[in-house]
Amino acid sequence: MTGYTTVIGLEVHVQLATKSKLFSPAPAKALGDPNTRVHPVDLGLPGVLPRPNRHAIELATRAALVLGAEVQRESEFARKHYFYPDLPKGYQISQFDRPLALGGTVPIGGGRSCRLHRLHVEEDAGKLSHTGVGTLVDLNRAGVPLVEIVSEPDLRTPAEAHAFLRHLREVMRFAGVSDCDLELGSMRCDANISLMPAGSDTFGTKVELKNLNSLKMVQRALAYEQRRQAAVLAAGGRILAETRGWHDELGESRSQRSKEQAPDYRYLPEPDLPPLVLDEAFLARQREQIGELPEQRRERYRTSFGLGDHDVAALARDRALGDWFERVVTAGADAKSACNWLLEDLLPALRERGLALADAKVSPAKLAALIALLDAGTLTRTTARKVLHHLLAHDVSPQRALAELALARIADEETLAPLVDAAIAALPAAVEAVRAGKEKALDALKGHVMRQTRGRADHEVVDRLLRAAIESPEP
Ligand code: ADP
Ligand code: MG
């Protein structure tokens, strides 16, 4: 905004990919019908005690490590009290002044990065649905494990906020911490934004934006709020410290509640849980479990496979996709061929069928075998594609598919010559055009031969025979 500098800080909740909840054995994944995944611990019934889920602590630790945060050897759970129907205990178990991790950074492009303030573990609350007959409470989410990641106010544009979240999502997914789906709520983001006069270093009053259910919405809401605040300030007005909800369909934010006074949550150390103590061996194991991160993988694909930036970015986007690609190479395919077949043929074909790579009948070994048939000249590119489609529907080997489809390549001149003559006879205008120097017109003739052979004809042989026939004097 002209005349103003924008300041943005994000608070992101990431749901940890555990089977059960943070302090109870109730399932945390695949939440079914409302209120069917609730344990007495989630309700805080008398006589129950919370028991930390080891896997949740492991994943939270990995989240901190991949962000370069400093994991505290000792942290503490705390009760955060508030009264609301989504919180049956009357308090949420979170962390307050002794969080799991401090610091860390997230790269945001252009050589810039955003510092992290802290990362802490907490349980989710229930979900309220406001309906015509009243407000309904579903406690399936109550007690689901989360980490909250709070950034410093280092971001300066909506695009930087977008880059921050993309990086966060990528590394969390790679490290197996979370699937980070903003639409489904396994990643949630509140964005704080303020404006100050350009050149100033005193931050303005911030507004907190909620209901940001996709990366696009985060960027749109921040851009809108930037304009709204600039207009208020330019008119001599004052920004109210408030929480505003984003209404994507309206393309605007609306005030939800004033934040002039900080609520008093009466935090106190959780009396039912001892401090969380993590030893060096635990940290070392978590570091090992993280494995390769996206940037390391991209570097390896560039250097050991010689792939270009575009391919590298596409393959390393998703851990499972990269792993699949590597299995094709291990099964003997050349890296560039494996990459092309995967990105340009297999993935689009699966998308058309609404299938995920994991559900495909085609295994990495089969794709490698298909590429080998192509390299050996048994198949043409066109027929290889047909075989691939056959493999998606039938659980057979590429060799078997080839036989079933009768798609072996035809390269012998004796078979192809009559077909070339037929194409020339059928398309005299194209022949004239080629003679007049229009190279492109040759494609129509080749297409004719290809149709007659269902794509099995060898391109080079057909090309050679066509040219020879056209160049020879007319009979
Ligand atoms: P509060 O006390 O209101 O909770 P915090 O200082 O804890 O505020 O910060 C909450 C979030 O708001 C952090 O992500 C932080 O980076 C961000 N933030 C703080 N001050 C500003 C500001 N003036 N403008 C934009 N974001 C801010
Ligand atoms: Mg705060």
Side-chain angles (χ1 to χ4, degrees):
M1 292 290 113
T2 23
Y4 298 102
T5 299
T6 302
V7 174
I8 298 168
L10 302 177
E11 295 168 287
V12 187
H13 282 96
V14 169
Q15 180 180 336
L16 301 171
T18 57
K19 285 205 198 75
S20 56
K21 292 187 177 178
L22 184 53
F23 299 114
S24 89
K29 265 189 177 169
L31 300 173
D33 290 338
N35 300 305
T36 57
R37 308 288 202 265
V38 190
H39 185 270
V41 162
D42 308 324
L43 301 171
L45 295 185
V48 299
L49 285 174
R51 186 166 184 273
N53 175 340
R54 185 180 182 89
H55 193 216
I57 304 304
E58 291 171 347
L59 293 180
T61 303
R62 285 176 217 167
L65 291 172
V66 296
L67 297 170
E70 211 173 296
V71 178
Q72 307 298 294
R73 293 301 206 80
E74 196 172 318
S75 67
E76 186 176 72
F77 288 106
R79 289 187 178 182
K80 176 181 180 178
H81 296 84
Y82 65 90
F83 181 76
Y84 209 57
D86 65 1
L87 193 69
K89 293 204 294 281
Y91 60 86
Q92 173 192 28
I93 303 180
S94 178
Q95 295 189 301
F96 183 48
D97 47 6
R98 299 176 73 201
L100 180 73
L102 295 170
T105 52
V106 170
I108 50 177
R112 281 178 38 79
S113 61
C114 176
R115 291 166 303 152
L116 297 177
H117 182 57
R118 58 183 269 155
L119 179 151
H120 68 253
V121 183
E122 65 184 28
E123 57 176 347
D124 206 350
K127 188 177 156 211
L128 300 182
S129 310
H130 305 286
T131 73
V133 294
T135 297
L136 305 176
V137 185
D138 176 8
L139 295 175
N140 283 354
R141 296 197 66 89
V144 163
L146 308 172
V147 284
E148 177 171 350
I149 298 157
V150 182
S151 88
E152 294 292 352
D154 287 350
L155 305 163
R156 290 294 171 267
T157 62
E160 285 189 350
H162 189 272
F164 178 101
L165 291 168
R166 272 189 50 160
H167 177 88
L168 193 66
R169 187 173 67 179
E170 190 180 66
V171 292
M172 291 295 146
R173 285 179 178 169
F174 250 75
V177 168
S178 172
D179 54 13
C180 284
D181 190 321
L182 275 147
E183 264 120 283
L184 295 179
S186 56
M187 177 163 161
R188 279 169 268 160
C189 169
D190 299 336
N192 301 275
I193 171 169
S194 65
L195 263 53
M196 61 183 172
S200 164
D201 53 12
T202 309
F203 289 172
T205 303
K206 75 178 189 304
V207 158
E208 184 184 30
L209 292 170
K210 288 190 179 282
N211 296 348
L212 307 173
N213 300 325
S214 70
L215 286 188
K216 235 192 233 131
M217 275 193 222
V218 172
Q219 211 171 344
R220 263 159 61 83
L222 285 169
Y224 169 87
E225 191 56 25
Q226 236 179 351
R227 289 194 300 276
R228 189 190 70 83
Q229 292 186 15
V232 171
L233 294 172
R238 192 172 77 86
I239 299 301
L240 302 178
E242 61 183 353
T243 299
R244 296 178 70 90
W246 175 247
H247 295 262
D248 202 53
E249 65 299 342
L250 303 174
E252 65 180 40
S253 67
R254 289 187 171 175
S255 180
Q256 286 183 335
R257 62 186 149 96
S258 147
K259 267 203 139 181
E260 289 296 0
Q261 295 118 358
D264 180 3
Y265 292 119
R266 293 183 293 125
Y267 277 103
L268 59 89
E270 170 57 63
D272 290 342
L273 291 165
L276 181 62
V277 179
L278 305 177
D279 60 21
E280 194 46 54
F282 175 85
L283 294 183
R285 269 200 309 282
Q286 300 321 308
R287 245 180 237 113
E288 259 167 48
Q289 288 295 315
I290 290 167
E292 190 177 44
L293 288 176
E295 196 38 54
Q296 296 161 331
R297 176 167 280 197
R298 283 191 279 266
E299 186 51 31
R300 184 162 62 81
Y301 285 7
R302 268 189 291 267
T303 52
S304 43
F305 295 135
L307 294 173
D309 285 345
H310 178 81
D311 290 339
V312 165
L315 291 172
R317 189 180 60 204
D318 174 283
R319 182 173 209 139
L321 176 63
D323 290 350
W324 210 97
F325 157 74
E326 289 183 45
R327 288 204 288 276
V328 184
V329 176
T330 308
D334 153 67
K336 181 62 183 161
S337 306
C339 169
N340 288 350
W341 276 93
L342 184 54
L343 298 180
E344 288 161 26
D345 294 287
L346 182 56
L347 288 185
L350 289 171
R351 224 173 287 131
E352 255 170 45
R353 292 163 171 75
L355 289 174
L357 192 54
D359 310 325
K361 281 204 170 78
V362 182
S363 62
K366 279 189 197 172
L367 183 58
L370 179 67
I371 293 170
L373 288 174
L374 181 67
D375 289 345
T378 313
L379 288 170
T380 65
R381 239 195 116 72
T382 314
T383 50
R385 274 202 197 95
K386 288 189 183 167
V387 170
L388 181 68
H389 283 251
H390 191 74
L391 294 176
L392 285 172
H394 306 91
D395 195 6
V396 296
S397 70
Q399 287 83 351
R400 179 70 195 277
L402 174 66
E404 283 175 7
L405 295 168
L407 278 179
R409 184 180 66 123
I410 306 172
D412 70 295
E413 299 188 5
E414 261 153 67
T415 314
L416 291 176
L419 296 170
V420 163
D421 291 342
I424 286 173
L427 301 167
V431 175
E432 276 317 305
V434 176
R435 288 208 174 105
K438 288 206 182 108
E439 272 286 309
K440 270 257 137 231
L442 206 58
D443 290 347
L445 294 157
K446 282 185 199 163
H448 193 276
V449 177
M450 282 302 166
R451 273 193 299 283
Q452 299 302 311
T453 57
R454 292 185 299 128
R456 290 174 297 160
D458 183 278
H459 285 258
E460 274 163 36
V461 177
V462 172
D463 186 83
R464 179 155 44 75
L465 293 179
L466 273 170
R467 284 177 197 278
I470 291 170
E471 274 158 29
S472 69
E474 282 177 71

